[in-house]
Structures are given as C-alpha cells and as structure tokens.
PDB file of all heavy atoms in Angstrom:
ATOM      1  N   PHE A   3       1.548  -3.244  -2.223  1.00  0.00           N
ATOM      2  CA  PHE A   3       2.268  -2.042  -1.559  1.00  0.00           C
ATOM      3  C   PHE A   3       2.304  -0.809  -2.478  1.00  0.00           C
ATOM      4  O   PHE A   3       2.335  -1.019  -3.667  1.00  0.00           O
ATOM      5  CB  PHE A   3       3.617  -2.536  -1.278  1.00  0.00           C
ATOM      6  CG  PHE A   3       3.771  -3.190   0.138  1.00  0.00           C
ATOM      7  CD1 PHE A   3       3.678  -4.566   0.172  1.00  0.00           C
ATOM      8  CD2 PHE A   3       3.718  -2.552   1.255  1.00  0.00           C
ATOM      9  CE1 PHE A   3       3.700  -5.316   1.216  1.00  0.00           C
ATOM     10  CE2 PHE A   3       3.928  -3.255   2.532  1.00  0.00           C
ATOM     11  CZ  PHE A   3       3.809  -4.693   2.520  1.00  0.00           C
ATOM     12  N   VAL A   4       2.367   0.258  -1.819  1.00  0.00           N
ATOM     13  CA  VAL A   4       2.655   1.537  -2.505  1.00  0.00           C
ATOM     14  C   VAL A   4       3.953   1.942  -1.857  1.00  0.00           C
ATOM     15  O   VAL A   4       4.136   2.012  -0.704  1.00  0.00           O
ATOM     16  CB  VAL A   4       1.513   2.570  -2.192  1.00  0.00           C
ATOM     17  CG1 VAL A   4       1.961   3.897  -2.963  1.00  0.00           C
ATOM     18  CG2 VAL A   4       0.208   2.127  -2.694  1.00  0.00           C
ATOM     19  N   ALA A   5       4.879   2.327  -2.674  1.00  0.00           N
ATOM     20  CA  ALA A   5       6.310   2.570  -2.272  1.00  0.00           C
ATOM     21  C   ALA A   5       7.035   3.693  -2.987  1.00  0.00           C
ATOM     22  O   ALA A   5       6.406   4.001  -4.248  1.00  0.00           O
ATOM     23  CB  ALA A   5       7.206   1.272  -2.229  1.00  0.00           C
ATOM     24  N   LYS A   6       7.877   4.378  -2.547  1.00  0.00           N
ATOM     25  CA  LYS A   6       8.535   5.435  -3.139  1.00  0.00           C
ATOM     26  C   LYS A   6       9.391   4.854  -4.409  1.00  0.00           C
ATOM     27  O   LYS A   6       9.878   3.705  -4.451  1.00  0.00           O
ATOM     28  CB  LYS A   6       9.629   6.152  -2.317  1.00  0.00           C
ATOM     29  CG  LYS A   6      10.674   5.257  -1.628  1.00  0.00           C
ATOM     30  CD  LYS A   6      11.466   6.142  -0.679  1.00  0.00           C
ATOM     31  CE  LYS A   6      12.581   5.300   0.033  1.00  0.00           C
ATOM     32  NZ  LYS A   6      13.339   6.077   0.953  1.00  0.00           N
ATOM     33  N   ALA A   7       9.534   5.661  -5.479  1.00  0.00           N
ATOM     34  CA  ALA A   7      10.056   5.273  -6.817  1.00  0.00           C
ATOM     35  C   ALA A   7      11.430   4.738  -6.628  1.00  0.00           C
ATOM     36  O   ALA A   7      11.928   3.976  -7.473  1.00  0.00           O
ATOM     37  CB  ALA A   7       9.908   6.288  -7.864  1.00  0.00           C
ATOM     38  N   GLU A   8      12.276   5.303  -5.660  1.00  0.00           N
ATOM     39  CA  GLU A   8      13.684   4.919  -5.509  1.00  0.00           C
ATOM     40  C   GLU A   8      13.768   3.391  -5.248  1.00  0.00           C
ATOM     41  O   GLU A   8      14.835   2.854  -5.584  1.00  0.00           O
ATOM     42  CB  GLU A   8      14.309   5.657  -4.392  1.00  0.00           C
ATOM     43  CG  GLU A   8      14.417   7.071  -4.519  1.00  0.00           C
ATOM     44  CD  GLU A   8      13.195   7.979  -4.068  1.00  0.00           C
ATOM     45  OE1 GLU A   8      12.089   7.396  -4.165  1.00  0.00           O
ATOM     46  OE2 GLU A   8      13.363   9.154  -3.746  1.00  0.00           O
ATOM     47  N   ILE A   9      12.887   2.702  -4.725  1.00  0.00           N
ATOM     48  CA  ILE A   9      13.010   1.261  -4.454  1.00  0.00           C
ATOM     49  C   ILE A   9      13.197   0.498  -5.660  1.00  0.00           C
ATOM     50  O   ILE A   9      13.817  -0.527  -5.622  1.00  0.00           O
ATOM     51  CB  ILE A   9      11.712   0.808  -3.618  1.00  0.00           C
ATOM     52  CG1 ILE A   9      11.818   1.390  -2.288  1.00  0.00           C
ATOM     53  CG2 ILE A   9      11.653  -0.629  -3.507  1.00  0.00           C
ATOM     54  CD1 ILE A   9      10.628   1.107  -1.341  1.00  0.00           C
ATOM     55  N   ARG A  10      12.599   1.025  -6.757  1.00  0.00           N
ATOM     56  CA  ARG A  10      12.572   0.312  -8.044  1.00  0.00           C
ATOM     57  C   ARG A  10      14.050   0.084  -8.440  1.00  0.00           C
ATOM     58  O   ARG A  10      14.401  -0.849  -9.237  1.00  0.00           O
ATOM     59  CB  ARG A  10      11.757   1.023  -9.161  1.00  0.00           C
ATOM     60  CG  ARG A  10      11.704   0.219 -10.446  1.00  0.00           C
ATOM     61  CD  ARG A  10      10.995   1.004 -11.432  1.00  0.00           C
ATOM     62  NE  ARG A  10       9.533   0.998 -11.374  1.00  0.00           N
ATOM     63  CZ  ARG A  10       8.791   2.022 -11.541  1.00  0.00           C
ATOM     64  NH1 ARG A  10       9.325   3.216 -11.769  1.00  0.00           N
ATOM     65  NH2 ARG A  10       7.426   1.848 -11.480  1.00  0.00           N
ATOM     66  N   SER A  11      14.939   0.951  -8.114  1.00  0.00           N
ATOM     67  CA  SER A  11      16.369   0.921  -8.572  1.00  0.00           C
ATOM     68  C   SER A  11      17.223  -0.019  -7.713  1.00  0.00           C
ATOM     69  O   SER A  11      18.418  -0.184  -8.000  1.00  0.00           O
ATOM     70  CB  SER A  11      17.004   2.338  -8.587  1.00  0.00           C
ATOM     71  OG  SER A  11      17.058   2.848  -7.282  1.00  0.00           O
ATOM     72  N   TRP A  12      16.664  -0.461  -6.507  1.00  0.00           N
ATOM     73  CA  TRP A  12      17.491  -1.477  -5.720  1.00  0.00           C
ATOM     74  C   TRP A  12      17.793  -2.749  -6.508  1.00  0.00           C
ATOM     75  O   TRP A  12      17.002  -3.227  -7.313  1.00  0.00           O
ATOM     76  CB  TRP A  12      16.626  -1.957  -4.581  1.00  0.00           C
ATOM     77  CG  TRP A  12      16.380  -0.817  -3.530  1.00  0.00           C
ATOM     78  CD1 TRP A  12      16.911   0.429  -3.535  1.00  0.00           C
ATOM     79  CD2 TRP A  12      15.610  -0.895  -2.360  1.00  0.00           C
ATOM     80  NE1 TRP A  12      16.429   1.126  -2.503  1.00  0.00           N
ATOM     81  CE2 TRP A  12      15.643   0.291  -1.683  1.00  0.00           C
ATOM     82  CE3 TRP A  12      14.859  -1.932  -1.783  1.00  0.00           C
ATOM     83  CZ2 TRP A  12      15.000   0.576  -0.503  1.00  0.00           C
ATOM     84  CZ3 TRP A  12      14.062  -1.688  -0.668  1.00  0.00           C
ATOM     85  CH2 TRP A  12      14.186  -0.521  -0.028  1.00  0.00           C
ATOM     86  N   PRO A  13      19.134  -3.157  -6.359  1.00  0.00           N
ATOM     87  CA  PRO A  13      19.501  -4.474  -7.060  1.00  0.00           C
ATOM     88  C   PRO A  13      18.655  -5.569  -6.759  1.00  0.00           C
ATOM     89  O   PRO A  13      18.442  -5.949  -5.594  1.00  0.00           O
ATOM     90  CB  PRO A  13      20.869  -4.616  -6.573  1.00  0.00           C
ATOM     91  CG  PRO A  13      21.375  -3.285  -6.094  1.00  0.00           C
ATOM     92  CD  PRO A  13      20.168  -2.631  -5.462  1.00  0.00           C
ATOM     93  N   LEU A  14      18.097  -6.361  -7.800  1.00  0.00           N
ATOM     94  CA  LEU A  14      17.229  -7.466  -7.711  1.00  0.00           C
ATOM     95  C   LEU A  14      15.964  -7.253  -6.902  1.00  0.00           C
ATOM     96  O   LEU A  14      14.910  -7.522  -7.332  1.00  0.00           O
ATOM     97  CB  LEU A  14      18.014  -8.593  -7.015  1.00  0.00           C
ATOM     98  CG  LEU A  14      19.341  -9.009  -7.733  1.00  0.00           C
ATOM     99  CD1 LEU A  14      19.980 -10.205  -6.968  1.00  0.00           C
ATOM    100  CD2 LEU A  14      19.121  -9.494  -9.127  1.00  0.00           C
ATOM    101  N   ALA A  15      16.081  -6.688  -5.588  1.00  0.00           N
ATOM    102  CA  ALA A  15      14.872  -6.550  -4.789  1.00  0.00           C
ATOM    103  C   ALA A  15      13.970  -5.534  -5.509  1.00  0.00           C
ATOM    104  O   ALA A  15      12.688  -5.784  -5.372  1.00  0.00           O
ATOM    105  CB  ALA A  15      15.317  -6.044  -3.455  1.00  0.00           C
ATOM    106  N   GLY A  16      14.408  -4.558  -6.101  1.00  0.00           N
ATOM    107  CA  GLY A  16      13.493  -3.522  -6.698  1.00  0.00           C
ATOM    108  C   GLY A  16      12.675  -4.187  -7.887  1.00  0.00           C
ATOM    109  O   GLY A  16      11.457  -3.912  -7.993  1.00  0.00           O
ATOM    110  N   TRP A  17      13.373  -5.042  -8.632  1.00  0.00           N
ATOM    111  CA  TRP A  17      12.636  -5.651  -9.732  1.00  0.00           C
ATOM    112  C   TRP A  17      11.507  -6.666  -9.112  1.00  0.00           C
ATOM    113  O   TRP A  17      10.404  -6.697  -9.562  1.00  0.00           O
ATOM    114  CB  TRP A  17      13.577  -6.496 -10.625  1.00  0.00           C
ATOM    115  CG  TRP A  17      12.987  -6.980 -11.891  1.00  0.00           C
ATOM    116  CD1 TRP A  17      12.970  -6.374 -13.178  1.00  0.00           C
ATOM    117  CD2 TRP A  17      12.328  -8.233 -12.025  1.00  0.00           C
ATOM    118  NE1 TRP A  17      12.418  -7.115 -14.049  1.00  0.00           N
ATOM    119  CE2 TRP A  17      12.068  -8.352 -13.479  1.00  0.00           C
ATOM    120  CE3 TRP A  17      12.006  -9.305 -11.244  1.00  0.00           C
ATOM    121  CZ2 TRP A  17      11.262  -9.388 -14.034  1.00  0.00           C
ATOM    122  CZ3 TRP A  17      11.344 -10.375 -11.739  1.00  0.00           C
ATOM    123  CH2 TRP A  17      10.943 -10.413 -13.032  1.00  0.00           C
ATOM    124  N   LEU A  18      11.880  -7.347  -8.067  1.00  0.00           N
ATOM    125  CA  LEU A  18      11.094  -8.254  -7.453  1.00  0.00           C
ATOM    126  C   LEU A  18       9.766  -7.617  -6.818  1.00  0.00           C
ATOM    127  O   LEU A  18       8.583  -8.153  -7.064  1.00  0.00           O
ATOM    128  CB  LEU A  18      11.766  -9.049  -6.249  1.00  0.00           C
ATOM    129  CG  LEU A  18      12.508 -10.240  -6.678  1.00  0.00           C
ATOM    130  CD1 LEU A  18      13.461 -10.715  -5.596  1.00  0.00           C
ATOM    131  CD2 LEU A  18      11.627 -11.328  -7.086  1.00  0.00           C
ATOM    132  N   VAL A  19      10.014  -6.596  -6.108  1.00  0.00           N
ATOM    133  CA  VAL A  19       8.700  -6.019  -5.576  1.00  0.00           C
ATOM    134  C   VAL A  19       7.853  -5.317  -6.584  1.00  0.00           C
ATOM    135  O   VAL A  19       6.678  -5.224  -6.464  1.00  0.00           O
ATOM    136  CB  VAL A  19       9.115  -4.905  -4.412  1.00  0.00           C
ATOM    137  CG1 VAL A  19       9.849  -5.649  -3.237  1.00  0.00           C
ATOM    138  CG2 VAL A  19      10.092  -3.807  -4.998  1.00  0.00           C
ATOM    139  N   ASP A  20       8.516  -4.898  -7.697  1.00  0.00           N
ATOM    140  CA  ASP A  20       7.690  -4.382  -8.917  1.00  0.00           C
ATOM    141  C   ASP A  20       6.846  -5.467  -9.385  1.00  0.00           C
ATOM    142  O   ASP A  20       5.637  -5.215  -9.571  1.00  0.00           O
ATOM    143  CB  ASP A  20       8.785  -3.869  -9.859  1.00  0.00           C
ATOM    144  CG  ASP A  20       8.039  -3.094 -11.089  1.00  0.00           C
ATOM    145  OD1 ASP A  20       6.841  -2.939 -10.957  1.00  0.00           O
ATOM    146  OD2 ASP A  20       8.705  -2.859 -12.050  1.00  0.00           O
ATOM    147  N   LYS A  21       7.406  -6.575  -9.673  1.00  0.00           N
ATOM    148  CA  LYS A  21       6.715  -7.711 -10.235  1.00  0.00           C
ATOM    149  C   LYS A  21       5.619  -8.346  -9.406  1.00  0.00           C
ATOM    150  O   LYS A  21       4.691  -9.033  -9.831  1.00  0.00           O
ATOM    151  CB  LYS A  21       7.613  -8.774 -10.822  1.00  0.00           C
ATOM    152  CG  LYS A  21       8.586  -8.239 -12.033  1.00  0.00           C
ATOM    153  CD  LYS A  21       7.757  -7.545 -13.066  1.00  0.00           C
ATOM    154  CE  LYS A  21       8.621  -7.036 -14.225  1.00  0.00           C
ATOM    155  NZ  LYS A  21       7.829  -6.385 -15.322  1.00  0.00           N
ATOM    156  N   ALA A  22       5.919  -8.147  -8.057  1.00  0.00           N
ATOM    157  CA  ALA A  22       4.973  -8.595  -7.096  1.00  0.00           C
ATOM    158  C   ALA A  22       3.719  -7.734  -7.006  1.00  0.00           C
ATOM    159  O   ALA A  22       2.834  -7.995  -6.126  1.00  0.00           O
ATOM    160  CB  ALA A  22       5.700  -8.776  -5.765  1.00  0.00           C
ATOM    161  N   GLY A  23       3.641  -6.607  -7.700  1.00  0.00           N
ATOM    162  CA  GLY A  23       2.445  -5.747  -7.682  1.00  0.00           C
ATOM    163  C   GLY A  23       2.607  -4.446  -7.092  1.00  0.00           C
ATOM    164  O   GLY A  23       1.682  -3.724  -6.842  1.00  0.00           O
ATOM    165  N   THR A  24       3.895  -4.036  -6.581  1.00  0.00           N
ATOM    166  CA  THR A  24       4.048  -2.801  -5.845  1.00  0.00           C
ATOM    167  C   THR A  24       3.743  -1.597  -6.891  1.00  0.00           C
ATOM    168  O   THR A  24       4.215  -1.622  -7.947  1.00  0.00           O
ATOM    169  CB  THR A  24       5.548  -2.677  -5.309  1.00  0.00           C
ATOM    170  OG1 THR A  24       5.786  -3.775  -4.478  1.00  0.00           O
ATOM    171  CG2 THR A  24       5.799  -1.321  -4.655  1.00  0.00           C
ATOM    172  N   VAL A  25       3.298  -0.613  -6.278  1.00  0.00           N
ATOM    173  CA  VAL A  25       2.904   0.650  -7.020  1.00  0.00           C
ATOM    174  C   VAL A  25       3.948   1.651  -6.515  1.00  0.00           C
ATOM    175  O   VAL A  25       4.053   1.929  -5.359  1.00  0.00           O
ATOM    176  CB  VAL A  25       1.462   1.027  -6.828  1.00  0.00           C
ATOM    177  CG1 VAL A  25       1.217   2.348  -7.471  1.00  0.00           C
ATOM    178  CG2 VAL A  25       0.494   0.160  -7.254  1.00  0.00           C
ATOM    179  N   PHE A  26       4.648   2.275  -7.539  1.00  0.00           N
ATOM    180  CA  PHE A  26       5.720   3.257  -7.055  1.00  0.00           C
ATOM    181  C   PHE A  26       5.213   4.669  -7.270  1.00  0.00           C
ATOM    182  O   PHE A  26       4.653   4.902  -8.396  1.00  0.00           O
ATOM    183  CB  PHE A  26       6.968   2.979  -7.975  1.00  0.00           C
ATOM    184  CG  PHE A  26       7.640   1.562  -7.595  1.00  0.00           C
ATOM    185  CD1 PHE A  26       7.464   0.504  -8.548  1.00  0.00           C
ATOM    186  CD2 PHE A  26       8.278   1.388  -6.513  1.00  0.00           C
ATOM    187  CE1 PHE A  26       7.998  -0.820  -8.281  1.00  0.00           C
ATOM    188  CE2 PHE A  26       8.927   0.238  -6.232  1.00  0.00           C
ATOM    189  CZ  PHE A  26       8.776  -0.905  -7.085  1.00  0.00           C
ATOM    190  N   ILE A  27       5.675   5.581  -6.360  1.00  0.00           N
ATOM    191  CA  ILE A  27       5.279   6.954  -6.500  1.00  0.00           C
ATOM    192  C   ILE A  27       6.592   7.819  -6.661  1.00  0.00           C
ATOM    193  O   ILE A  27       7.428   7.663  -5.794  1.00  0.00           O
ATOM    194  CB  ILE A  27       4.448   7.345  -5.186  1.00  0.00           C
ATOM    195  CG1 ILE A  27       3.033   6.659  -5.104  1.00  0.00           C
ATOM    196  CG2 ILE A  27       4.275   8.930  -5.175  1.00  0.00           C
ATOM    197  CD1 ILE A  27       2.347   7.051  -3.868  1.00  0.00           C
ATOM    198  N   ALA A  28       6.526   8.705  -7.639  1.00  0.00           N
ATOM    199  CA  ALA A  28       7.631   9.585  -7.708  1.00  0.00           C
ATOM    200  C   ALA A  28       7.292  10.822  -6.967  1.00  0.00           C
ATOM    201  O   ALA A  28       6.236  11.409  -7.054  1.00  0.00           O
ATOM    202  CB  ALA A  28       7.814   9.886  -9.319  1.00  0.00           C
ATOM    203  N   ARG A  29       8.264  11.259  -6.250  1.00  0.00           N
ATOM    204  CA  ARG A  29       8.095  12.539  -5.434  1.00  0.00           C
ATOM    205  C   ARG A  29       7.902  13.794  -6.250  1.00  0.00           C
ATOM    206  O   ARG A  29       8.525  13.953  -7.144  1.00  0.00           O
ATOM    207  CB  ARG A  29       9.320  12.724  -4.523  1.00  0.00           C
ATOM    208  CG  ARG A  29       9.533  11.614  -3.406  1.00  0.00           C
ATOM    209  CD  ARG A  29      10.843  11.904  -2.643  1.00  0.00           C
ATOM    210  NE  ARG A  29      11.016  10.835  -1.707  1.00  0.00           N
ATOM    211  CZ  ARG A  29      12.107  10.836  -0.903  1.00  0.00           C
ATOM    212  NH1 ARG A  29      13.065  11.744  -1.009  1.00  0.00           N
ATOM    213  NH2 ARG A  29      12.280   9.772   0.000  1.00  0.00           N
ATOM    214  N   GLY A  30       6.869  14.566  -5.815  1.00  0.00           N
ATOM    215  CA  GLY A  30       6.565  15.724  -6.531  1.00  0.00           C
ATOM    216  C   GLY A  30       5.781  15.681  -7.810  1.00  0.00           C
ATOM    217  O   GLY A  30       5.566  16.710  -8.481  1.00  0.00           O
ATOM    218  N   ASN A  31       5.523  14.398  -8.173  1.00  0.00           N
ATOM    219  CA  ASN A  31       4.771  14.175  -9.508  1.00  0.00           C
ATOM    220  C   ASN A  31       3.195  14.083  -9.167  1.00  0.00           C
ATOM    221  O   ASN A  31       2.744  13.025  -8.874  1.00  0.00           O
ATOM    222  CB  ASN A  31       5.303  12.890 -10.136  1.00  0.00           C
ATOM    223  CG  ASN A  31       4.746  12.788 -11.556  1.00  0.00           C
ATOM    224  OD1 ASN A  31       3.737  13.273 -11.942  1.00  0.00           O
ATOM    225  ND2 ASN A  31       5.604  12.167 -12.455  1.00  0.00           N
ATOM    226  N   ARG A  32       2.556  15.170  -9.283  1.00  0.00           N
ATOM    227  CA  ARG A  32       1.020  15.328  -8.911  1.00  0.00           C
ATOM    228  C   ARG A  32       0.270  14.370  -9.814  1.00  0.00           C
ATOM    229  O   ARG A  32      -0.701  13.842  -9.470  1.00  0.00           O
ATOM    230  CB  ARG A  32       0.637  16.794  -8.889  1.00  0.00           C
ATOM    231  CG  ARG A  32       1.206  17.583  -7.689  1.00  0.00           C
ATOM    232  CD  ARG A  32       0.576  18.919  -7.700  1.00  0.00           C
ATOM    233  NE  ARG A  32       1.182  19.666  -6.575  1.00  0.00           N
ATOM    234  CZ  ARG A  32       0.683  19.694  -5.318  1.00  0.00           C
ATOM    235  NH1 ARG A  32      -0.358  18.816  -5.006  1.00  0.00           N
ATOM    236  NH2 ARG A  32       1.226  20.357  -4.340  1.00  0.00           N
ATOM    237  N   ARG A  33       0.646  14.468 -11.191  1.00  0.00           N
ATOM    238  CA  ARG A  33      -0.128  13.727 -12.064  1.00  0.00           C
ATOM    239  C   ARG A  33      -0.003  12.254 -11.828  1.00  0.00           C
ATOM    240  O   ARG A  33      -0.929  11.500 -11.931  1.00  0.00           O
ATOM    241  CB  ARG A  33       0.448  14.012 -13.585  1.00  0.00           C
ATOM    242  CG  ARG A  33      -0.339  13.198 -14.733  1.00  0.00           C
ATOM    243  CD  ARG A  33       0.276  13.552 -16.037  1.00  0.00           C
ATOM    244  NE  ARG A  33      -0.041  14.951 -16.347  1.00  0.00           N
ATOM    245  CZ  ARG A  33       0.326  15.520 -17.532  1.00  0.00           C
ATOM    246  NH1 ARG A  33       0.971  14.713 -18.409  1.00  0.00           N
ATOM    247  NH2 ARG A  33       0.024  16.706 -17.814  1.00  0.00           N
ATOM    248  N   ASP A  34       1.184  11.715 -11.465  1.00  0.00           N
ATOM    249  CA  ASP A  34       1.477  10.400 -11.209  1.00  0.00           C
ATOM    250  C   ASP A  34       0.615   9.996  -9.952  1.00  0.00           C
ATOM    251  O   ASP A  34       0.059   8.915  -9.902  1.00  0.00           O
ATOM    252  CB  ASP A  34       2.858  10.223 -10.929  1.00  0.00           C
ATOM    253  CG  ASP A  34       3.356   8.683 -10.720  1.00  0.00           C
ATOM    254  OD1 ASP A  34       2.803   7.876 -11.482  1.00  0.00           O
ATOM    255  OD2 ASP A  34       4.209   8.436  -9.882  1.00  0.00           O
ATOM    256  N   LEU A  35       0.560  10.931  -8.916  1.00  0.00           N
ATOM    257  CA  LEU A  35      -0.193  10.654  -7.750  1.00  0.00           C
ATOM    258  C   LEU A  35      -1.602  10.489  -8.014  1.00  0.00           C
ATOM    259  O   LEU A  35      -2.263   9.592  -7.553  1.00  0.00           O
ATOM    260  CB  LEU A  35       0.089  11.759  -6.660  1.00  0.00           C
ATOM    261  CG  LEU A  35      -0.668  11.600  -5.353  1.00  0.00           C
ATOM    262  CD1 LEU A  35      -0.175  10.310  -4.706  1.00  0.00           C
ATOM    263  CD2 LEU A  35      -0.330  12.866  -4.522  1.00  0.00           C
ATOM    264  N   ARG A  36      -2.200  11.335  -8.938  1.00  0.00           N
ATOM    265  CA  ARG A  36      -3.641  11.205  -9.191  1.00  0.00           C
ATOM    266  C   ARG A  36      -3.781   9.919  -9.922  1.00  0.00           C
ATOM    267  O   ARG A  36      -4.901   9.310  -9.667  1.00  0.00           O
ATOM    268  CB  ARG A  36      -3.991  12.358 -10.072  1.00  0.00           C
ATOM    269  CG  ARG A  36      -4.174  13.775  -9.367  1.00  0.00           C
ATOM    270  CD  ARG A  36      -4.911  14.698 -10.131  1.00  0.00           C
ATOM    271  NE  ARG A  36      -4.248  15.042 -11.451  1.00  0.00           N
ATOM    272  CZ  ARG A  36      -3.352  16.047 -11.547  1.00  0.00           C
ATOM    273  NH1 ARG A  36      -3.113  16.772 -10.581  1.00  0.00           N
ATOM    274  NH2 ARG A  36      -2.824  16.301 -12.729  1.00  0.00           N
ATOM    275  N   HIS A  37      -3.096   9.424 -10.792  1.00  0.00           N
ATOM    276  CA  HIS A  37      -3.235   8.215 -11.458  1.00  0.00           C
ATOM    277  C   HIS A  37      -3.203   7.101 -10.541  1.00  0.00           C
ATOM    278  O   HIS A  37      -3.994   6.134 -10.645  1.00  0.00           O
ATOM    279  CB  HIS A  37      -2.146   8.068 -12.633  1.00  0.00           C
ATOM    280  CG  HIS A  37      -2.256   6.811 -13.282  1.00  0.00           C
ATOM    281  ND1 HIS A  37      -3.224   6.464 -14.218  1.00  0.00           N
ATOM    282  CD2 HIS A  37      -1.391   5.688 -13.264  1.00  0.00           C
ATOM    283  CE1 HIS A  37      -3.062   5.220 -14.690  1.00  0.00           C
ATOM    284  NE2 HIS A  37      -1.933   4.778 -14.097  1.00  0.00           N
ATOM    285  N   ILE A  38      -2.131   7.057  -9.651  1.00  0.00           N
ATOM    286  CA  ILE A  38      -1.994   6.025  -8.643  1.00  0.00           C
ATOM    287  C   ILE A  38      -3.239   6.011  -7.646  1.00  0.00           C
ATOM    288  O   ILE A  38      -3.816   4.871  -7.307  1.00  0.00           O
ATOM    289  CB  ILE A  38      -0.767   6.140  -7.880  1.00  0.00           C
ATOM    290  CG1 ILE A  38       0.468   5.854  -8.898  1.00  0.00           C
ATOM    291  CG2 ILE A  38      -0.590   5.263  -6.677  1.00  0.00           C
ATOM    292  CD1 ILE A  38       1.770   6.256  -8.299  1.00  0.00           C
ATOM    293  N   PHE A  39      -3.752   7.149  -7.304  1.00  0.00           N
ATOM    294  CA  PHE A  39      -4.775   7.272  -6.439  1.00  0.00           C
ATOM    295  C   PHE A  39      -6.056   6.577  -6.952  1.00  0.00           C
ATOM    296  O   PHE A  39      -6.690   5.732  -6.331  1.00  0.00           O
ATOM    297  CB  PHE A  39      -5.041   8.662  -6.160  1.00  0.00           C
ATOM    298  CG  PHE A  39      -6.428   8.866  -5.291  1.00  0.00           C
ATOM    299  CD1 PHE A  39      -6.256   8.826  -3.967  1.00  0.00           C
ATOM    300  CD2 PHE A  39      -7.564   9.165  -5.730  1.00  0.00           C
ATOM    301  CE1 PHE A  39      -7.360   9.074  -3.145  1.00  0.00           C
ATOM    302  CE2 PHE A  39      -8.682   9.335  -5.111  1.00  0.00           C
ATOM    303  CZ  PHE A  39      -8.505   9.297  -3.668  1.00  0.00           C
ATOM    304  N   LYS A  40      -6.299   6.742  -8.243  1.00  0.00           N
ATOM    305  CA  LYS A  40      -7.453   6.056  -8.864  1.00  0.00           C
ATOM    306  C   LYS A  40      -7.319   4.480  -8.890  1.00  0.00           C
ATOM    307  O   LYS A  40      -8.195   3.800  -8.698  1.00  0.00           O
ATOM    308  CB  LYS A  40      -7.654   6.466 -10.327  1.00  0.00           C
ATOM    309  CG  LYS A  40      -8.154   8.019 -10.456  1.00  0.00           C
ATOM    310  CD  LYS A  40      -8.207   8.540 -11.815  1.00  0.00           C
ATOM    311  CE  LYS A  40      -8.658   9.933 -11.929  1.00  0.00           C
ATOM    312  NZ  LYS A  40      -8.662  10.445 -13.319  1.00  0.00           N
ATOM    313  N   GLY A  41      -6.087   4.113  -9.077  1.00  0.00           N
ATOM    314  CA  GLY A  41      -5.804   2.665  -9.121  1.00  0.00           C
ATOM    315  C   GLY A  41      -5.884   2.044  -7.681  1.00  0.00           C
ATOM    316  O   GLY A  41      -6.488   0.993  -7.582  1.00  0.00           O
ATOM    317  N   LEU A  42      -5.473   2.802  -6.654  1.00  0.00           N
ATOM    318  CA  LEU A  42      -5.767   2.290  -5.301  1.00  0.00           C
ATOM    319  C   LEU A  42      -7.239   2.110  -5.007  1.00  0.00           C
ATOM    320  O   LEU A  42      -7.603   1.157  -4.318  1.00  0.00           O
ATOM    321  CB  LEU A  42      -4.988   3.345  -4.382  1.00  0.00           C
ATOM    322  CG  LEU A  42      -3.444   3.318  -4.450  1.00  0.00           C
ATOM    323  CD1 LEU A  42      -3.003   4.296  -3.367  1.00  0.00           C
ATOM    324  CD2 LEU A  42      -2.835   1.940  -4.266  1.00  0.00           C
ATOM    325  N   VAL A  43      -7.927   3.178  -5.236  1.00  0.00           N
ATOM    326  CA  VAL A  43      -9.385   3.074  -5.055  1.00  0.00           C
ATOM    327  C   VAL A  43      -9.993   1.923  -5.696  1.00  0.00           C
ATOM    328  O   VAL A  43     -10.784   1.141  -5.110  1.00  0.00           O
ATOM    329  CB  VAL A  43     -10.054   4.348  -5.428  1.00  0.00           C
ATOM    330  CG1 VAL A  43     -11.613   4.192  -5.453  1.00  0.00           C
ATOM    331  CG2 VAL A  43      -9.561   5.546  -4.715  1.00  0.00           C
ATOM    332  N   HIS A  44      -9.595   1.614  -7.022  1.00  0.00           N
ATOM    333  CA  HIS A  44     -10.160   0.509  -7.734  1.00  0.00           C
ATOM    334  C   HIS A  44      -9.635  -0.870  -7.028  1.00  0.00           C
ATOM    335  O   HIS A  44     -10.484  -1.775  -6.850  1.00  0.00           O
ATOM    336  CB  HIS A  44      -9.611   0.460  -9.064  1.00  0.00           C
ATOM    337  CG  HIS A  44      -9.931  -0.722  -9.869  1.00  0.00           C
ATOM    338  ND1 HIS A  44     -11.272  -0.942 -10.442  1.00  0.00           N
ATOM    339  CD2 HIS A  44      -9.283  -1.794 -10.274  1.00  0.00           C
ATOM    340  CE1 HIS A  44     -11.323  -2.045 -11.115  1.00  0.00           C
ATOM    341  NE2 HIS A  44     -10.177  -2.606 -11.050  1.00  0.00           N
TER     342      HIS A  44
END
C-alpha cells in the first residue's frame, strides 16, 4: 500500500502497516513523492 504519512502515528496499527511494506507519503513533499514514485515503478 501507499498511504498518507499520518497513518504511521496510529497506535500499534501504524507500526504494523509500516512493517507490512506500506509506503508513506508526506503531504506537500515533492522530493519525497519523486523518490516514492521511482520505488512504485520498480
């Protein structure tokens, strides 16, 4: 999954979805978006 960065702060569930391979996107961070975009294509 690709999800908004706020999910990472959820109690327990945030850590779980992170370790399950979720990719988090920070709003307004264009550099982060470009890096994530390349990872998604791969």
Side-chain angles (χ1 to χ4, degrees):
F3 278 90
V4 182
K6 58 185 180 180
E8 290 90 334
I9 291 177
R10 188 185 274 137
S11 65
W12 290 354
L14 300 181
W17 191 93
L18 272 170
V19 296
D20 183 11
K21 296 305 179 184
T24 299
V25 178
F26 296 103
I27 296 180
R29 294 177 181 177
N31 190 330
R32 292 184 178 274
R33 178 180 296 180
D34 188 40
L35 182 59
R36 285 195 297 270
H37 175 72
I38 289 170
F39 176 83
K40 292 179 181 178
L42 292 181
V43 173
H44 176 76

